[in-house]
Amino acid sequence: MTDFKNLVDKIHAMGMYVIIDWVGNHSAWDNPLTIQHPDWYTKTRAGNFQPTPWYDWDDVIDFDYDNPDFRKYMTDALKFWVKEANIDGYRADVAGFIPVDFWENARKELDEIKPVFMLAEWESRDLYKKSFDMTYSWSLWDKLREAVNHQKLGGLVEYLSHDVNSVPHNAYRMTFTDNHDKNSWEGNPYLNFGDGLKTAIVMTGVVNGMPLCYSGQEAGLNRSLKFFDKDPIEWKANENTELFTKLFHLKHANQALWNGKYGGEMIRVVNDHQDKIISFYREKNNDAVFPVLNFSDQTVEVNLNTAYFQGKYRELFTGKIYNIKDKTNIKLLPWSYLVLVKE
């Protein structure tokens, strides 16, 4: 515990925050609670412990949140790490399998200790109301992979539409091209996104949300990590290092990309190749970002209606200056992208 407290203090001193993974839906079969409080678990009809119903998680057994004593125990467990180690919040494993009213009460009690940040490994609006700041944007990963592999943008456009029109304005969505589940069970990002990987990474960095750089992505991780065993990452120089660094620095510096109500809404910029090109504009307090991304393996000469987005822009990765007029013509190579930052 002393080592962990020192680690948290050091991280705070470096201007960063610490959230830890909290698995509240289930425990191991040999958890002491199985002996001390067997009534805190759900049971089969035969009265035996069981994995989460309908799932093949045979290595764990399911907790019963109908028990008020168990709820208090779990709430106290969450409060313990905030009070004792001064962590800043949690990433809640399969948060949607735990009742919303549990989370809402737990968040209230945690915030009475200190303001915390809560990330749900889930994707639903009800978790934003009183309990979580951010959820996993699983659907963006699906739509990006579909766009890259099948070069069909309908699903991606639908995602952007739903984000603008149905997600609470101050909700944060964690955007990603890789995470521990995707990496171990569905393949590494090079396998999933192929030639369009960098295009997808850039998209996760400029859409509404908070981008995740998963373990080793900045070093070009090109394999699946072992899920249950130690599997060291080879840290080395890689082109992704600059990609993530520039995107993250822009996100910090440019208010258009800030999170929730602090950032700018994604406004569609109409173009004449909307089956291949995603283009949109975000603006907040005189900061503006104008991404244009080619989600195809073809060179595209695209015309954009930029009557309301005129001005001088500097491209994030090349530094090239673009003077945007009422109509704009741009030639984009396969899988290429521009992140135009208003001067």
Side-chain angles (χ1 to χ4, degrees), residues 109-315:
E109 294 195 28
L110 287 169
D111 279 341
E112 289 171 355
I113 304 169
K114 64 178 276 190
V116 293
F117 185 87
M118 298 292 285
L119 164 63
E121 192 205 22
W122 206 252
E123 190 172 19
S124 60
R125 291 193 298 182
D126 56 350
L127 293 176
Y128 288 120
K129 189 174 181 181
K130 293 181 181 178
S131 45
F132 286 91
D133 302 284
M134 184 161 71
T135 66
Y136 276 54
S137 191
W138 297 105
S139 53
L140 178 60
W141 189 91
D142 291 335
K143 301 309 180 186
L144 279 172
R145 187 168 69 161
E146 179 183 86
V148 167
N149 288 295
H150 303 291
Q151 297 180 45
K152 295 180 179 178
L153 297 193
L156 187 53
V157 170
E158 181 182 29
Y159 170 88
L160 297 171
S161 174
H162 285 204
D163 186 277
V164 170
N165 294 299
S166 69
V167 175
H169 187 45
N170 200 34
Y172 299 2
R173 312 189 79 178
M174 189 176 73
T175 61
F176 52 86
T177 50
D178 203 16
N179 66 40
H180 75 292
D181 278 315
K182 295 300 186 187
N183 178 273
S184 291
W185 309 125
E186 297 187 53
N188 70 75
Y190 291 91
L191 180 65
N192 284 315
F193 295 95
D195 293 337
L197 175 59
K198 289 200 290 186
T199 318
I201 290 173
V202 171
M203 187 70 172
T204 64
V206 295
V207 295
N208 178 43
M210 188 183 294
L212 166 70
C213 180
Y214 176 66
S215 302
Q217 276 196 279
E218 70 273 51
L221 179 73
N222 59 358
R223 63 185 177 86
S224 293
L225 296 171
K226 295 176 183 177
F227 199 80
F228 294 108
D229 301 295
K230 183 176 180 179
D231 191 0
I233 293 164
E234 180 186 354
W235 296 104
K236 60 185 185 299
N238 184 268
E239 60 184 355
N240 285 351
T241 306
E242 181 182 15
L243 191 67
F244 279 110
T245 300
K246 288 194 171 183
L247 286 169
F248 286 175
H249 283 178
L250 179 66
K251 184 170 181 63
H252 280 280
N254 194 295
Q255 292 186 46
L257 298 187
W258 286 6
N259 300 306
K261 65 184 180 182
Y262 303 103
E265 179 183 319
M266 296 181 294
I267 299 171
R268 189 172 197 177
V269 177
V270 176
N271 68 69
D272 62 351
H273 284 283
Q274 293 185 163
D275 60 329
K276 296 180 177 65
I277 306 294
I278 293 284
S279 50
F280 59 95
Y281 179 87
R282 301 183 66 185
E283 182 177 15
K284 189 75 171 186
N285 294 338
N286 298 317
D287 281 345
V289 175
F290 176 11
V292 185
L293 303 101
N294 183 5
F295 278 94
S296 79
D297 58 4
Q298 301 172 29
T299 297
V300 180
E301 189 166 328
V302 61
N303 295 296
L304 303 111
N305 183 353
T306 49
Y308 296 103
F309 315 110
Q310 298 182 54
K312 180 182 177 182
Y313 294 78
R314 184 181 300 274
E315 207 284 318

